[in-house]
mmCIF file of all heavy atoms in Angstrom:
data_model
loop_
_atom_site.group_PDB
_atom_site.id
_atom_site.type_symbol
_atom_site.label_atom_id
_atom_site.label_comp_id
_atom_site.label_asym_id
_atom_site.label_seq_id
_atom_site.Cartn_x
_atom_site.Cartn_y
_atom_site.Cartn_z
ATOM 1 N N GLY A 70 -36.054 54.792 -43.562
ATOM 2 C CA GLY A 70 -36.343 53.792 -44.578
ATOM 3 C C GLY A 70 -36.753 54.418 -45.896
ATOM 4 O O GLY A 70 -36.324 53.978 -46.973
ATOM 5 N N LEU A 71 -37.577 55.485 -45.828
ATOM 6 C CA LEU A 71 -37.977 56.173 -47.061
ATOM 7 C C LEU A 71 -36.766 56.783 -47.765
ATOM 8 O O LEU A 71 -36.650 56.708 -48.988
ATOM 9 C CB LEU A 71 -38.999 57.263 -46.733
ATOM 10 C CG LEU A 71 -40.431 56.791 -46.437
ATOM 11 C CD1 LEU A 71 -41.269 57.950 -45.934
ATOM 12 C CD2 LEU A 71 -41.057 56.190 -47.692
ATOM 13 N N TYR A 72 -35.877 57.385 -46.996
ATOM 14 C CA TYR A 72 -34.676 57.971 -47.603
ATOM 15 C C TYR A 72 -33.824 56.892 -48.273
ATOM 16 O O TYR A 72 -33.224 57.113 -49.336
ATOM 17 C CB TYR A 72 -33.833 58.694 -46.551
ATOM 18 C CG TYR A 72 -34.536 59.822 -45.837
ATOM 19 C CD1 TYR A 72 -34.065 60.297 -44.609
ATOM 20 C CD2 TYR A 72 -35.675 60.413 -46.368
ATOM 21 C CE1 TYR A 72 -34.708 61.324 -43.941
ATOM 22 C CE2 TYR A 72 -36.327 61.457 -45.703
ATOM 23 C CZ TYR A 72 -35.838 61.892 -44.490
ATOM 24 O OH TYR A 72 -36.470 62.905 -43.820
ATOM 25 N N THR A 73 -33.767 55.713 -47.641
ATOM 26 C CA THR A 73 -32.953 54.615 -48.180
ATOM 27 C C THR A 73 -33.533 54.088 -49.483
ATOM 28 O O THR A 73 -32.814 53.491 -50.287
ATOM 29 C CB THR A 73 -32.838 53.487 -47.142
ATOM 30 O OG1 THR A 73 -32.411 54.033 -45.892
ATOM 31 C CG2 THR A 73 -31.829 52.430 -47.569
ATOM 32 N N ALA A 74 -34.828 54.310 -49.694
ATOM 33 C CA ALA A 74 -35.464 53.879 -50.944
ATOM 34 C C ALA A 74 -35.343 54.924 -52.038
ATOM 35 O O ALA A 74 -35.936 54.767 -53.109
ATOM 36 C CB ALA A 74 -36.938 53.562 -50.697
ATOM 37 N N THR A 75 -34.567 55.979 -51.782
ATOM 38 C CA THR A 75 -34.419 57.026 -52.793
ATOM 39 C C THR A 75 -32.961 57.190 -53.234
ATOM 40 O O THR A 75 -32.591 56.748 -54.322
ATOM 41 C CB THR A 75 -34.968 58.365 -52.250
ATOM 42 O OG1 THR A 75 -34.314 58.688 -51.017
ATOM 43 C CG2 THR A 75 -36.465 58.274 -52.014
ATOM 44 N N VAL A 76 -32.144 57.802 -52.382
ATOM 45 C CA VAL A 76 -30.782 58.159 -52.816
ATOM 46 C C VAL A 76 -29.938 56.937 -53.207
ATOM 47 O O VAL A 76 -29.388 56.886 -54.313
ATOM 48 C CB VAL A 76 -30.065 58.991 -51.733
ATOM 49 C CG1 VAL A 76 -28.647 59.356 -52.210
ATOM 50 C CG2 VAL A 76 -30.858 60.260 -51.434
ATOM 51 N N PRO A 77 -29.799 55.906 -52.344
ATOM 52 C CA PRO A 77 -28.984 54.756 -52.758
ATOM 53 C C PRO A 77 -29.513 54.071 -54.019
ATOM 54 O O PRO A 77 -28.723 53.632 -54.869
ATOM 55 C CB PRO A 77 -29.057 53.810 -51.546
ATOM 56 C CG PRO A 77 -29.395 54.694 -50.400
ATOM 57 C CD PRO A 77 -30.288 55.745 -50.967
ATOM 58 N N MET A 78 -30.827 53.990 -54.144
ATOM 59 C CA MET A 78 -31.405 53.344 -55.319
ATOM 60 C C MET A 78 -31.083 54.133 -56.587
ATOM 61 O O MET A 78 -30.769 53.558 -57.635
ATOM 62 C CB MET A 78 -32.918 53.194 -55.156
ATOM 63 C CG MET A 78 -33.570 52.334 -56.218
ATOM 64 S SD MET A 78 -35.314 52.038 -55.912
ATOM 65 C CE MET A 78 -35.240 51.035 -54.424
ATOM 66 N N ALA A 79 -31.149 55.468 -56.487
ATOM 67 C CA ALA A 79 -30.819 56.304 -57.645
ATOM 68 C C ALA A 79 -29.340 56.185 -58.006
ATOM 69 O O ALA A 79 -28.980 56.109 -59.186
ATOM 70 C CB ALA A 79 -31.179 57.758 -57.350
ATOM 71 N N VAL A 80 -28.471 56.159 -56.988
ATOM 72 C CA VAL A 80 -27.028 56.032 -57.248
ATOM 73 C C VAL A 80 -26.727 54.713 -57.953
ATOM 74 O O VAL A 80 -25.981 54.680 -58.947
ATOM 75 C CB VAL A 80 -26.234 56.140 -55.926
ATOM 76 C CG1 VAL A 80 -24.761 55.804 -56.165
ATOM 77 C CG2 VAL A 80 -26.372 57.534 -55.342
ATOM 78 N N TYR A 81 -27.315 53.616 -57.439
ATOM 79 C CA TYR A 81 -27.067 52.326 -58.088
ATOM 80 C C TYR A 81 -27.615 52.319 -59.517
ATOM 81 O O TYR A 81 -27.004 51.731 -60.413
ATOM 82 C CB TYR A 81 -27.689 51.179 -57.298
ATOM 83 C CG TYR A 81 -27.371 49.833 -57.922
ATOM 84 C CD1 TYR A 81 -26.181 49.176 -57.628
ATOM 85 C CD2 TYR A 81 -28.221 49.261 -58.863
ATOM 86 C CE1 TYR A 81 -25.852 47.982 -58.244
ATOM 87 C CE2 TYR A 81 -27.907 48.062 -59.485
ATOM 88 C CZ TYR A 81 -26.719 47.430 -59.168
ATOM 89 O OH TYR A 81 -26.403 46.248 -59.794
ATOM 90 N N ALA A 82 -28.741 52.983 -59.735
ATOM 91 C CA ALA A 82 -29.316 53.017 -61.083
ATOM 92 C C ALA A 82 -28.348 53.645 -62.076
ATOM 93 O O ALA A 82 -28.299 53.251 -63.250
ATOM 94 C CB ALA A 82 -30.633 53.791 -61.064
ATOM 95 N N PHE A 83 -27.552 54.602 -61.626
ATOM 96 C CA PHE A 83 -26.598 55.269 -62.512
ATOM 97 C C PHE A 83 -25.296 54.479 -62.673
ATOM 98 O O PHE A 83 -24.601 54.634 -63.673
ATOM 99 C CB PHE A 83 -26.274 56.669 -61.991
ATOM 100 C CG PHE A 83 -27.288 57.704 -62.359
ATOM 101 C CD1 PHE A 83 -28.387 57.922 -61.556
ATOM 102 C CD2 PHE A 83 -27.162 58.445 -63.525
ATOM 103 C CE1 PHE A 83 -29.349 58.859 -61.888
ATOM 104 C CE2 PHE A 83 -28.112 59.395 -63.879
ATOM 105 C CZ PHE A 83 -29.213 59.603 -63.064
ATOM 106 N N LEU A 84 -24.962 53.619 -61.702
ATOM 107 C CA LEU A 84 -23.649 52.963 -61.715
ATOM 108 C C LEU A 84 -23.699 51.444 -61.799
ATOM 109 O O LEU A 84 -22.731 50.820 -62.230
ATOM 110 C CB LEU A 84 -22.860 53.355 -60.463
ATOM 111 C CG LEU A 84 -22.557 54.841 -60.270
ATOM 112 C CD1 LEU A 84 -21.893 55.073 -58.914
ATOM 113 C CD2 LEU A 84 -21.681 55.365 -61.393
ATOM 114 N N GLY A 85 -24.792 50.820 -61.358
ATOM 115 C CA GLY A 85 -24.840 49.362 -61.238
ATOM 116 C C GLY A 85 -25.037 48.657 -62.564
ATOM 117 O O GLY A 85 -25.563 49.217 -63.536
ATOM 118 N N GLY A 86 -24.633 47.394 -62.584
ATOM 119 C CA GLY A 86 -24.684 46.619 -63.821
ATOM 120 C C GLY A 86 -25.843 45.651 -63.930
ATOM 121 O O GLY A 86 -26.038 45.044 -64.987
ATOM 122 N N SER A 87 -26.620 45.460 -62.861
ATOM 123 C CA SER A 87 -27.759 44.551 -62.914
ATOM 124 C C SER A 87 -28.980 45.294 -63.438
ATOM 125 O O SER A 87 -29.329 46.367 -62.940
ATOM 126 C CB SER A 87 -28.064 43.982 -61.526
ATOM 127 O OG SER A 87 -29.277 43.260 -61.529
ATOM 128 N N ARG A 88 -29.652 44.706 -64.409
ATOM 129 C CA ARG A 88 -30.787 45.384 -65.017
ATOM 130 C C ARG A 88 -31.992 45.469 -64.085
ATOM 131 O O ARG A 88 -32.739 46.441 -64.131
ATOM 132 C CB ARG A 88 -31.198 44.658 -66.300
ATOM 133 C CG ARG A 88 -30.250 44.908 -67.468
ATOM 134 C CD ARG A 88 -30.714 44.191 -68.706
ATOM 135 N NE ARG A 88 -29.927 44.598 -69.872
ATOM 136 C CZ ARG A 88 -30.049 44.069 -71.082
ATOM 137 N NH1 ARG A 88 -30.930 43.082 -71.270
ATOM 138 N NH2 ARG A 88 -29.315 44.503 -72.073
ATOM 139 N N ALA A 89 -32.203 44.448 -63.263
ATOM 140 C CA ALA A 89 -33.451 44.382 -62.495
ATOM 141 C C ALA A 89 -33.259 44.502 -60.993
ATOM 142 O O ALA A 89 -34.243 44.506 -60.261
ATOM 143 C CB ALA A 89 -34.188 43.080 -62.812
ATOM 144 N N MET A 90 -32.017 44.584 -60.495
ATOM 145 C CA MET A 90 -31.838 44.618 -59.041
ATOM 146 C C MET A 90 -32.333 45.937 -58.466
ATOM 147 O O MET A 90 -32.055 47.008 -58.999
ATOM 148 C CB MET A 90 -30.380 44.398 -58.649
ATOM 149 C CG MET A 90 -30.193 44.309 -57.130
ATOM 150 S SD MET A 90 -28.635 43.594 -56.626
ATOM 151 C CE MET A 90 -27.500 44.907 -57.069
ATOM 152 N N SER A 91 -33.074 45.841 -57.371
ATOM 153 C CA SER A 91 -33.601 47.005 -56.663
ATOM 154 C C SER A 91 -32.810 47.191 -55.378
ATOM 155 O O SER A 91 -32.770 46.285 -54.536
ATOM 156 C CB SER A 91 -35.094 46.800 -56.368
ATOM 157 O OG SER A 91 -35.633 47.899 -55.678
ATOM 158 N N VAL A 92 -32.167 48.333 -55.219
ATOM 159 C CA VAL A 92 -31.241 48.566 -54.111
ATOM 160 C C VAL A 92 -31.843 49.556 -53.121
ATOM 161 O O VAL A 92 -32.138 50.699 -53.475
ATOM 162 C CB VAL A 92 -29.893 49.098 -54.633
ATOM 163 C CG1 VAL A 92 -28.988 49.511 -53.472
ATOM 164 C CG2 VAL A 92 -29.211 48.041 -55.485
ATOM 165 N N SER A 93 -32.046 49.110 -51.899
ATOM 166 C CA SER A 93 -32.378 50.011 -50.788
ATOM 167 C C SER A 93 -31.611 49.493 -49.579
ATOM 168 O O SER A 93 -30.437 49.765 -49.424
ATOM 169 C CB SER A 93 -33.887 50.077 -50.554
ATOM 170 O OG SER A 93 -34.440 48.793 -50.352
ATOM 171 N N THR A 94 -32.262 48.693 -48.729
ATOM 172 C CA THR A 94 -31.549 47.989 -47.666
ATOM 173 C C THR A 94 -32.238 46.652 -47.447
ATOM 174 O O THR A 94 -33.245 46.355 -48.099
ATOM 175 C CB THR A 94 -31.498 48.818 -46.374
ATOM 176 O OG1 THR A 94 -30.524 48.272 -45.483
ATOM 177 C CG2 THR A 94 -32.854 48.846 -45.683
ATOM 178 N N THR A 95 -31.702 45.845 -46.567
ATOM 179 C CA THR A 95 -32.242 44.507 -46.328
ATOM 180 C C THR A 95 -32.393 44.286 -44.828
ATOM 181 O O THR A 95 -31.860 45.056 -44.009
ATOM 182 C CB THR A 95 -31.316 43.421 -46.897
ATOM 183 O OG1 THR A 95 -30.097 43.395 -46.126
ATOM 184 C CG2 THR A 95 -30.978 43.683 -48.360
ATOM 185 N N SER A 96 -33.089 43.224 -44.470
ATOM 186 C CA SER A 96 -33.258 42.914 -43.050
ATOM 187 C C SER A 96 -31.919 42.604 -42.389
ATOM 188 O O SER A 96 -31.688 42.966 -41.225
ATOM 189 C CB SER A 96 -34.215 41.730 -42.882
ATOM 190 O OG SER A 96 -33.736 40.590 -43.585
ATOM 191 N N THR A 97 -31.023 41.960 -43.127
ATOM 192 C CA THR A 97 -29.698 41.657 -42.571
ATOM 193 C C THR A 97 -28.932 42.930 -42.255
ATOM 194 O O THR A 97 -28.351 43.078 -41.165
ATOM 195 C CB THR A 97 -28.892 40.790 -43.559
ATOM 196 O OG1 THR A 97 -29.608 39.595 -43.836
ATOM 197 C CG2 THR A 97 -27.527 40.451 -42.987
ATOM 198 N N ILE A 98 -28.927 43.872 -43.197
ATOM 199 C CA ILE A 98 -28.192 45.124 -42.998
ATOM 200 C C ILE A 98 -28.819 45.933 -41.871
ATOM 201 O O ILE A 98 -28.116 46.515 -41.030
ATOM 202 C CB ILE A 98 -28.183 45.943 -44.301
ATOM 203 C CG1 ILE A 98 -27.532 45.134 -45.436
ATOM 204 C CG2 ILE A 98 -27.452 47.254 -44.094
ATOM 205 C CD1 ILE A 98 -26.153 44.617 -45.142
ATOM 206 N N ALA A 99 -30.148 45.990 -41.820
ATOM 207 C CA ALA A 99 -30.816 46.729 -40.748
ATOM 208 C C ALA A 99 -30.508 46.117 -39.383
ATOM 209 O O ALA A 99 -30.297 46.841 -38.396
ATOM 210 C CB ALA A 99 -32.320 46.744 -41.001
ATOM 211 N N THR A 100 -30.478 44.790 -39.329
ATOM 212 C CA THR A 100 -30.184 44.115 -38.057
ATOM 213 C C THR A 100 -28.749 44.375 -37.612
ATOM 214 O O THR A 100 -28.482 44.644 -36.431
ATOM 215 C CB THR A 100 -30.415 42.603 -38.190
ATOM 216 O OG1 THR A 100 -31.721 42.370 -38.694
ATOM 217 C CG2 THR A 100 -30.262 41.904 -36.854
ATOM 218 N N LEU A 101 -27.813 44.297 -38.543
ATOM 219 C CA LEU A 101 -26.417 44.596 -38.201
ATOM 220 C C LEU A 101 -26.252 46.057 -37.795
ATOM 221 O O LEU A 101 -25.406 46.379 -36.949
ATOM 222 C CB LEU A 101 -25.510 44.259 -39.389
ATOM 223 C CG LEU A 101 -25.334 42.772 -39.698
ATOM 224 C CD1 LEU A 101 -24.530 42.583 -40.976
ATOM 225 C CD2 LEU A 101 -24.660 42.047 -38.541
ATOM 226 N N THR A 102 -27.043 46.937 -38.395
ATOM 227 C CA THR A 102 -27.023 48.346 -37.989
ATOM 228 C C THR A 102 -27.468 48.486 -36.540
ATOM 229 O O THR A 102 -26.837 49.190 -35.740
ATOM 230 C CB THR A 102 -27.931 49.178 -38.906
ATOM 231 O OG1 THR A 102 -27.468 49.092 -40.260
ATOM 232 C CG2 THR A 102 -27.953 50.638 -38.476
ATOM 233 N N ALA A 103 -28.557 47.793 -36.198
ATOM 234 C CA ALA A 103 -29.046 47.830 -34.815
ATOM 235 C C ALA A 103 -27.994 47.290 -33.850
ATOM 236 O O ALA A 103 -27.725 47.889 -32.794
ATOM 237 C CB ALA A 103 -30.333 47.016 -34.701
ATOM 238 N N THR A 104 -27.379 46.165 -34.211
ATOM 239 C CA THR A 104 -26.361 45.550 -33.355
ATOM 240 C C THR A 104 -25.155 46.463 -33.207
ATOM 241 O O THR A 104 -24.582 46.589 -32.110
ATOM 242 C CB THR A 104 -25.931 44.206 -33.960
ATOM 243 O OG1 THR A 104 -27.077 43.373 -34.125
ATOM 244 C CG2 THR A 104 -24.935 43.498 -33.066
ATOM 245 N N THR A 105 -24.760 47.107 -34.296
ATOM 246 C CA THR A 105 -23.613 48.015 -34.257
ATOM 247 C C THR A 105 -23.886 49.207 -33.346
ATOM 248 O O THR A 105 -23.015 49.618 -32.562
ATOM 249 C CB THR A 105 -23.286 48.504 -35.677
ATOM 250 O OG1 THR A 105 -22.975 47.385 -36.507
ATOM 251 C CG2 THR A 105 -22.098 49.454 -35.665
ATOM 252 N N PHE A 106 -25.075 49.760 -33.440
ATOM 253 C CA PHE A 106 -25.418 50.887 -32.576
ATOM 254 C C PHE A 106 -25.341 50.491 -31.100
ATOM 255 O O PHE A 106 -24.803 51.235 -30.271
ATOM 256 C CB PHE A 106 -26.821 51.392 -32.902
ATOM 257 C CG PHE A 106 -26.874 52.309 -34.103
ATOM 258 C CD1 PHE A 106 -28.088 52.664 -34.670
ATOM 259 C CD2 PHE A 106 -25.726 52.813 -34.667
ATOM 260 C CE1 PHE A 106 -28.150 53.499 -35.760
ATOM 261 C CE2 PHE A 106 -25.761 53.654 -35.771
ATOM 262 C CZ PHE A 106 -26.982 53.997 -36.318
ATOM 263 N N VAL A 107 -25.894 49.336 -30.768
ATOM 264 C CA VAL A 107 -25.880 48.895 -29.371
ATOM 265 C C VAL A 107 -24.445 48.678 -28.898
ATOM 266 O O VAL A 107 -24.057 49.124 -27.804
ATOM 267 C CB VAL A 107 -26.709 47.609 -29.206
ATOM 268 C CG1 VAL A 107 -26.516 47.017 -27.806
ATOM 269 C CG2 VAL A 107 -28.194 47.893 -29.448
ATOM 270 N N SER A 108 -23.630 48.000 -29.718
ATOM 271 C CA SER A 108 -22.251 47.711 -29.307
ATOM 272 C C SER A 108 -21.402 48.981 -29.220
ATOM 273 O O SER A 108 -20.449 49.036 -28.440
ATOM 274 C CB SER A 108 -21.605 46.723 -30.296
ATOM 275 O OG SER A 108 -21.513 47.288 -31.584
ATOM 276 N N ALA A 109 -21.761 50.002 -29.998
ATOM 277 C CA ALA A 109 -20.995 51.254 -29.992
ATOM 278 C C ALA A 109 -21.524 52.255 -28.980
ATOM 279 O O ALA A 109 -20.943 53.334 -28.806
ATOM 280 C CB ALA A 109 -21.017 51.885 -31.386
#
Side-chain angles (χ1 to χ4, degrees):
L71 284 172
Y72 300 160
T73 309
T75 56
V76 180
M78 190 174 293
V80 172
Y81 183 85
F83 278 88
L84 300 174
S87 171
R88 285 181 171 175
M90 185 163 71
S91 180
V92 173
S93 55
T94 195
T95 68
S96 58
T97 302
I98 301 305
T100 307
L101 290 174
T102 299
T104 303
T105 300
F106 279 169
V107 171
S108 63

